RNA sequence: GCGUUCAUAGCUCAGUUGGAUAGAGCAACGGCCUUCUAAGCCGUGUGUCGGGGGUUCGAAUCCCUCUGGACGCACCA
C-alpha cells in the first residue's frame, strides 16, 4: 500500500482539502520514535481557522486507523505508526520477487536521453579529473536506463581544435619517435608541455600552431596524417582505462566528426541573420541576454568549439530525437553552454530547452590546479592501479585464503575510487588526496561491498544447512529490522530523486544508509542461530532483500559487488 | 569591475525541496571476535549552520546586504 496516498485520502475524506495537496504535506519524521509518517497541521490552521493542535486532535479521533498500529497527535503534528509485520513482509517479499529488476520501472519508455560524458582530449593523458565526468555520466546512463529510457552514451572525443596545431608544431620539432612508440601519451604530453614552455619565449610558435590547425581543417596531408596517428595512439590508451572501469559508449563521434557539418550550421546562422562581424571574427551577438558574444568563426577563418557544439546538438536532435540532451561537462563551462543553448534557441530550435548542462566541480591538488599544459597531472591509470594494489594488500592481510584475489582486488580497488567520486554533490570540488582516496574504512565503496559479502555469506551458509521453514514476519518488529525494511522500500525514491537532479550521489548516500542499517542489524540480531524458525526464515529473506538492493544500487553507480572479501 | 556558485563539528561532507532536540564519516579515546566475515559494531566530545537584517506560526534551507573562497567573463576546450 502507498501509505502517503492512503493517509492523504483518509484525511481528505474528513476535511475539505484536496488529497493531492495533503499528500505533498506529508513528511517523514526525523526520528522513527515519532512515527513513520507525519502531517504537520500548521498550514491547515489558517484555512480551517483552528489551532494546529486542535486539528490534529480531531483528526486522530475520526480517522480510519486500518493498517496502522497507532496514530498520535503531538503538538500540532499528526503522527502515523504503520503496522510493522505487515509492512516488512510485503516489502521484503516484493523485493525478492523482483530481484535484479527491483528499483527498475518503465517510466521513461519511448524517451531517448543522449548523454555526453567523459570526452577526453586526444594526445593528452586521461587524468584523475576526467573520471568525474566519466563516473557521473556512466551512472546517469544506468539510472535512466533503469527507468526504461533509451540512453545513448556519447563520448564526444576532443579530437579537433587548436591544440592539434600546437601538437603538430611540437611534433615537427621535438618528437622522439622511439619514445612515442613505447609510451605514446607520455611523449605527446612531453612535447605538449614543451610547446607551452617554448611559446613563452617565442610567441611566434602560437601563430605557427594556428596555421597548422587551419591546414588540418583544410585537409592538408601532413597535418591529417599526424592527426590520425595521434588519435589512434590515444584511443588505444583511453580504451585501456575504459576497460578497467567497465565503461562502454554507444557513440564515439568526437569533434572531428562534425568537421563536415559545420559549414551548414554557419550558412544557417547567416541565412537567419544571426551572424555579425566583430574584430574580424564571425559572432552571434548575445547582448540582449547579458552574455558575451558566441564566436562562430575565428578571424583566421578556423572554427571553434562553439561551432562544433552547435553542429553536434543539431545532429543529435536529427539522429536521436532526444527527450533530453545531457552534457556532463565541468561547471567552468557553464557560460559556454548557456551561450550555445541560447544560439540554438535563436535559430528556432525548441529542443534547446531540452538541452541540459550537468556541471561538476574541479579535481585539484591541495595548493594548485591540475594543469596539462604544465604537466601537473596524475594519470587515472596510476590511481586505479594504486587502488587495486592497496586492496590486494588488504586481502593478503585480512583474508589470504580467498580465491581469485586479483579479480577481487580489481573490483574492490576500482569500485572504491568510483564510489569516492560519486559520494558527494557533484558541484563540489574534489581535493585530490592519496590518503583519503585510498582509505577503505568508514563510508566507502569497500564498506558497502563488505556488507554485501557478509549478507551473501549468511545466505550461502543457510543454503548448506538442512533448514526449511515458511517465513513468518509476525515477530519481525525490532527497530533494526523495521528501519532496514523501510530503507529498502525507499530505493525508488532515491533513484527518482537522483534522476530528477542528475545527481548520482543520492544513490551513493542511499546505499551507505542501507549498509549501515544492515550492519547494525547484523551485530544485534543473530540470524542463522535464531531459534524461532519462522522468524529465522523471515530474517533470511530480509538479508536476501538487502543484498539485492545493495547490488542493484551499486550497479547504478557502475560498481561491481564481490561474493567474498 | 560584472556574472555564476559556495560557506554547516578539528578535517571531509549529508541535511528528504520551509518543519519537531542540526546529523554522518575521518581523526582521538574507551569497549566488543571459542557464536552468521572486526574492511565491522557500540559508546564518549565539539557547533554564533560565515556576519547582519528581513519574510514566516516556524529558516541551515527563501529574499536583501556585507565578508571570504572558487569558477567564468570573444578568437583554448
Amino acid at each position: 500500500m502507498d501509505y502517503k496516498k492512503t493517509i492523504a485520502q483518509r484525511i481528505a475524506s474528513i476535511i475539505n482539502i484536496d488529497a493531492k495537496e495533503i499528500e505533498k504535506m506529508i513528511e517523514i519524521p526525523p526520528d522513527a520514535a515519532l512515527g513513520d509518517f507525519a502531517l504537520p497541521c500548521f498550514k491547515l490552521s489558517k484555512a480551517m481557522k483552528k489551532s494546529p493542535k486542535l486539528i490534529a486532535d480531531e483528526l486522530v479521533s475520526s480517522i480510519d486507523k486500518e493498517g496502522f498500529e497507532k496514530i498520535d497527535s503531538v503538538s500540532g503534528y499528526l503522527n502515523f505508526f504503520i503496522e510493522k509485520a505487515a509492512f516488512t513482509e510485503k516489502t521484503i517479499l516484493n523485493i525478492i520477487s523482483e530481484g535484479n529488476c527491483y528499483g527498475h520501472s518503465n517510466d521513461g519508455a519511448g524517451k531517448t536521453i543522449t548523454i555526453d560524458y567523459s570526452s577526453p582530449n586526444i594526445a593528452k593523458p586521461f587524468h584523475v579529473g576526467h573520471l568525474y565526468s566519466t563516473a557521473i555520466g556512466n551512472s546517469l546512463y544506468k539510472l535512466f536506463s533503469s527507468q526504461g529510457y533509451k540512453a545513448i552514451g556519447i563520448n564526444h572525443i576532443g579530437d579537433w581544435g587548436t591544440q592539434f596545431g600546437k601538437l603538430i608544431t611540437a611534433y615537427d620539432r621535438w618528437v622522439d619517435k622511439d619514445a612515442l612508440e613505447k609510451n605514446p601519451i607520455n611523449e605527446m604530453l612531453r612535447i605538449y608541455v614543451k610547446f607551452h614552455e617554448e611559446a613563452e619565449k617565442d610567441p611566434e610558435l602560437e601563430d605557427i600552431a594556428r596555421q597548422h590547425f587551419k591546414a588540418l581543417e583544410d585537409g592538408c596531408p601532413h597535418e591529417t596524417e599526424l592527426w590520425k596517428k595521434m588519435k589512434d595512439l590515444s584511443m588505444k590508451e583511453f580504451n585501456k582505462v575504459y576497460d578497467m572501469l567497465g565503461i562502454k559508449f554507444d557513440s564515439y563521434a568526437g569533434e572531428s566528426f562534425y568537421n563536415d557539418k559545420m559549414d551548414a550550421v554557419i550558412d544557417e546562422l547567416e541565412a537567419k541573420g544571426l551572424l555579425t562581424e566583430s574584430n574580424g571574427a564571425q559572432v552571434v551577438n548575445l547582448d540582449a541576454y547579458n552574455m558575451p558574444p558566441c564566436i562562430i568563426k575565428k578571424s583566421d577563418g578556423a572554427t571553434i568549439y562553439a561551432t562544433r557544439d552547435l553542429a553536434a546538438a543539431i545532429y543529435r536532435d536529427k539522429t536521436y530525437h532526444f527527450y533530453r540532451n545531457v552534457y556532463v561537462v565541468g561547471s567552468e563551462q557553464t557560460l559556454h553552454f548557456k551561450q550555445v543553448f541560447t544560439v540554438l534557441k535563436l535559430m528556432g530550435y525548441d529542443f534547446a530547452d531540452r538541452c541540459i548542462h550537468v556541471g561538476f566541480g574541479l579535481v585539484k591538488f591541495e595548493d594548485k590546479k591540475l594543469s596539462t599544459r604544465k604537466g601537473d597531472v596524475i594519470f587515472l591509470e596510476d590511481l586505479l592501479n594504486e587502488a587495486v594494489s592497496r586492496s590486494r594488500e588488504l586481502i593478503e592481510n585480512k583474508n589470504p585464503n580467498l580465491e581469485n584475489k586479483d579479480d577481487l582486488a580489481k573490483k574492490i580497488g576500482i569500485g572504491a575510487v568510483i564510489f569516492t567520486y560519486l559520494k558527494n554533490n557533484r558541484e563540489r570540488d574534489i581535493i585530490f588526496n592519496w590518503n583519503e582516496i585510498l582509505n577503505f574504512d568508514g563510508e566507502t565503496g569497500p564498506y558497502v561491498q563488505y556488507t554485501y559479502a557478509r549478507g551473501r555469506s549468511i545466505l550461502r551458509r543457510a543454503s548448506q544447512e538442512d533448514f526449511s521453514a515458511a517465513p513468518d514476519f509476525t515477530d519481525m518488529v525490532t527497530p533494526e529490522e523495521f528501519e532496514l525494511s523501510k530503507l529498502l522500500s525507499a530505493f525508488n525514491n532515491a533513484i527518482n530523486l537522483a534522476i530528477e537532479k542528475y545527481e548520482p550521489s543520492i544513490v551513493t548516500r542511499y546505499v551507505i544508509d542501507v549498509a549501515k542499517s544492515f550492519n547494525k542489524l547484523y551485530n544485534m540480531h543473530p540470524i542463522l542461530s535464531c531459534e524461532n524458525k519462522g522468524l529465522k526464515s523471515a530474517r533470511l529473506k530480509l538479508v536476501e532483500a538487502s543484498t539485492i538492493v545493495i547490488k542493484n544500487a551499486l550497479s547504478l553507480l557502475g560498481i561491481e559487488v564481490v561474493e567474498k572479501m
Side-chain angles (χ1 to χ4, degrees):
Chain A
M1 120 160 124
D2 183 334
Y3 288 92
K4 279 194 183 181
K5 215 167 235 154
T6 307
I7 292 169
Q9 280 164 0
R10 288 187 193 173
I11 290 172
S13 73
I14 301 169
I15 62 177
N16 191 22
I17 290 176
D18 190 52
K20 279 194 181 143
E21 286 300 307
I22 294 171
E23 195 180 334
K24 272 189 240 164
M25 291 160 64
I26 295 172
E27 53 191 47
I28 293 164
D31 183 351
L34 290 163
D36 303 309
F37 296 95
L39 177 75
C41 299
F42 310 99
K43 279 178 198 161
L44 300 171
S45 183
K46 253 183 202 162
M48 297 175 65
K49 299 194 169 133
K50 285 181 201 166
S51 78
K53 190 180 176 315
L54 188 63
I55 296 171
D57 284 345
E58 288 179 1
L59 284 170
V60 161
S61 57
S62 51
I63 195 166
D64 174 8
K65 298 184 182 59
E66 204 236 304
F68 293 94
E69 247 170 36
K70 63 171 175 177
I71 300 172
D72 276 352
S73 162
V74 181
S75 55
Y77 286 89
L78 192 58
N79 291 337
F80 297 80
F81 296 79
I82 62 183
E83 275 174 6
K84 295 186 179 64
F87 173 78
T88 54
E89 173 164 11
K90 197 165 172 275
T91 302
I92 291 165
L93 295 181
N94 175 45
I95 292 168
I96 291 170
S97 80
E98 294 193 19
N100 288 338
C101 292
Y102 178 66
H104 292 214
S105 81
N106 268 318
D107 292 352
K111 292 174 181 162
T112 298
I113 311 275
T114 53
I115 308 174
D116 179 325
Y117 60 105
S118 197
S119 310
N121 286 328
I122 295 296
K124 292 191 195 173
F126 199 106
H127 60 71
V128 293
H130 290 111
L131 183 55
Y132 221 160
S133 168
T134 308
I136 292 169
N138 183 53
S139 177
L140 291 177
Y141 185 95
K142 287 171 188 284
L143 281 163
F144 277 106
S145 299
S146 79
Q147 303 307 303
Y149 293 90
K150 181 174 171 57
I152 310 282
I154 301 173
N155 195 345
H156 193 244
I157 300 282
D159 59 359
W160 209 247
T162 314
Q163 82 235 25
F164 283 94
K166 294 177 181 176
L167 272 161
I168 291 163
T169 308
Y171 186 99
D172 286 345
R173 284 166 179 70
W174 309 299
V175 80
D176 174 341
K177 289 190 177 169
D178 286 342
L180 190 67
E181 280 301 310
K182 277 186 211 136
N183 201 333
I185 298 277
N186 270 315
E187 179 59 10
M188 286 190 278
L189 176 63
R190 185 186 71 81
I191 64 173
Y192 188 71
V193 171
K194 187 167 173 72
F195 175 90
H196 286 98
E197 287 166 359
E198 295 291 327
E200 293 260 314
K201 294 176 246 164
D202 180 8
E204 205 182 317
L205 283 169
E206 299 272 4
D207 290 331
I208 296 169
R210 272 191 280 273
Q211 284 160 26
H212 277 304
F213 176 57
K214 187 71 174 68
L216 179 60
E217 280 207 309
D218 296 339
C220 295
H222 173 64
E223 282 79 4
T224 305
E225 190 197 330
L226 281 183
W227 172 76
K228 263 194 185 140
K229 181 174 185 168
M230 291 192 274
K231 181 167 174 173
D232 287 346
L233 288 169
S234 296
M235 285 311 296
K236 237 184 244 169
E237 294 297 312
F238 293 164
N239 284 330
K240 252 205 279 185
V241 177
Y242 291 133
D243 283 347
M244 288 174 87
L245 294 168
I247 290 178
K248 285 199 168 67
F249 297 87
D250 300 302
S251 162
Y252 291 84
E255 296 188 43
S256 67
F257 177 79
Y258 300 99
N259 192 31
D260 61 359
K261 297 170 183 62
M262 285 188 286
D263 283 344
V265 175
I266 295 167
D267 290 348
E268 193 181 334
L269 285 162
E270 183 82 69
K272 289 177 175 165
L274 294 167
L275 281 187
T276 52
E277 199 190 303
S278 175
N279 299 328
Q282 296 290 315
V283 308
V284 177
N285 188 295
L286 298 173
D287 282 350
Y289 301 88
N290 213 1
M291 283 187 266
C294 183
I295 294 178
I296 302 297
K297 215 168 182 182
K298 300 192 287 186
S299 48
D300 64 2
T303 61
I304 189 166
Y305 65 117
T307 328
R308 290 187 280 280
D309 276 340
L310 288 171
I314 294 167
Y315 175 84
R316 285 175 198 173
D317 172 54
K318 284 193 180 128
T319 309
Y320 302 113
H321 309 289
F322 56 73
Y323 170 70
R324 290 283 186 277
N325 177 29
V326 175
Y327 297 85
V328 184
V329 179
S331 294
E332 72 270 19
Q333 291 196 42
T334 301
L335 177 60
H336 162 70
F337 282 106
K338 262 192 192 163
Q339 290 177 304
V340 169
F341 299 162
T342 305
V343 171
L344 286 168
K345 189 83 180 176
L346 288 171
M347 292 171 85
Y349 290 115
D350 287 337
F351 72 74
D353 295 330
R354 290 180 277 117
C355 293
I356 316 276
H357 172 221
V358 173
F360 54 86
L362 258 40
V363 178
K364 48 187 175 183
F365 297 115
E366 258 134 303
D367 45 346
K368 58 185 176 186
K369 262 175 95 163
L370 296 170
S371 167
T372 307
R373 291 185 183 191
K374 292 181 187 151
D376 290 333
V377 288
I378 297 171
F379 289 21
L380 180 57
E381 208 180 328
D382 293 341
L383 169 61
L384 296 178
N385 284 332
E386 196 60 39
V388 171
S389 69
R390 161 102 175 120
S391 68
R392 178 67 214 239
E393 225 173 86
L394 283 169
I395 291 169
E396 257 355 300
N397 260 324
K398 294 170 188 284
N399 209 345
N401 297 323
L402 286 177
E403 292 168 6
N404 301 321
K405 285 187 272 194
D406 287 333
D407 183 54
L408 289 178
K410 230 184 98 183
K411 286 177 176 160
I412 296 166
I414 290 173
V417 175
I418 295 175
F419 196 91
T420 300
Y421 273 74
L422 295 180
K423 187 165 144 189
N424 293 328
N425 182 331
R426 59 178 159 76
E427 305 275 2
R428 242 176 224 284
D429 291 345
I430 291 181
I431 308 294
F432 190 88
N433 180 316
W434 282 104
N435 288 335
E436 235 164 79
I437 209 161
L438 295 180
N439 174 27
F440 294 171
D441 295 328
E443 297 174 343
T444 63
Y447 171 74
V448 178
Q449 284 168 321
Y450 180 73
T451 309
Y452 176 85
R454 273 181 151 176
R456 295 296 296 170
S457 172
I458 291 178
L459 296 173
R460 265 196 311 276
R461 284 170 185 273
S463 70
Q464 285 157 8
E465 282 179 4
D466 186 22
F467 168 78
S468 71
D472 181 352
F473 292 83
T474 47
D475 290 326
M476 186 178 269
V477 291
T478 65
E480 291 75 27
E481 290 161 320
F482 185 51
E483 279 309 303
L484 179 56
S485 301
K486 276 209 284 187
L487 260 177
L488 297 179
S489 77
F491 188 27
N492 265 102
N493 293 355
I495 294 175
N496 289 332
L497 201 58
I499 282 182
E500 189 188 315
K501 299 170 92 165
Y502 301 93
E503 186 56 273
S505 70
I506 291 168
V507 173
T508 317
R509 297 274 165 189
Y510 168 78
V511 79
I512 289 172
D513 287 343
V514 170
K516 270 190 195 166
S517 184
F518 180 90
N519 280 318
K520 188 162 189 156
L521 176 128
Y522 180 95
N523 275 278
M524 287 183 73
H525 303 290
I527 295 160
L528 290 173
S529 60
C530 176
E531 282 167 21
N532 176 336
K533 291 254 170 70
L535 179 59
K536 171 176 173 179
S537 183
R539 283 186 175 163
L540 284 169
K541 295 288 183 199
L542 175 56
V543 171
E544 190 181 349
S546 302
T547 59
I548 289 170
V549 172
I550 291 175
K551 184 180 180 183
N552 292 1
L554 285 180
S555 150
L556 291 174
L557 300 173
I559 297 170
E560 293 184 80
V561 290
V562 294
E563 297 299 315
K564 296 180 184 174
M565 69 185 273

